[in-house]
Amino acid sequence: MREIFRYGFILAFICIVATGLLAAVNVITAPKILAQAQAEEQAALKEVMPLAVKFTAVKSDIDQQTLYYKVLDGQGKIIGYIFKASGKGYSSVIQTLVGMDSTGKISAVKVLSQNETPGLGVRITENKFTDQFRDQDSLNLSGVQAISGATISSRAVMNSVIKKAQEIKELIKNEK
């Protein structure tokens, strides 16, 4: 019986020390992780709207999450919008960042995250696929061809872009 308490105290001590070390590492690295995430987000925003000078986040009144970004030029004029779209692919949720000019044409699509089938589904990240979106009407992507062998993943990207573009256009229309 005494052995059980002894091992229990040793295990509890190890758990407390490990928890304290993890908490300390979290406190030390959290600001760096946040700064890196913001830098990556700014680079991605600039990648889908290269002519932009400034990005202004429009947040939800309810939960303060970013709905979309207004893209401004040097004079402060809105030249477009950027939004995140996500859709269920073959084996994962595919998240994209979409740049849309003020007329509703897509400037670029960047796949932010996916975990599709290596070799086939992952081809949605290739420029050959994402470049098809350029200058397409955001509500009609008839000029975008699905990748053979990765149709579900391709359609997930296209449908998520169309759906989110409709939502963003409604928000923008109500804003004016």
Side-chain angles (χ1 to χ4, degrees), residues 53 72-79:
V53 173
L72 307 171
D73 65 5
Q75 287 85 36
K77 181 182 169 195
I78 296 174
I79 59 171

Side-chain angles (χ1 to χ4, degrees), residues 42 45-46 49-56 70-77 79:
Q42 288 297 315
L45 292 173
K46 194 71 176 168
M49 292 291 276
L51 299 177
V53 173
K54 184 178 178 186
F55 304 100
T56 304
K70 290 180 184 176
V71 180
L72 307 171
D73 65 5
Q75 287 85 36
K77 181 182 169 195
I79 59 171

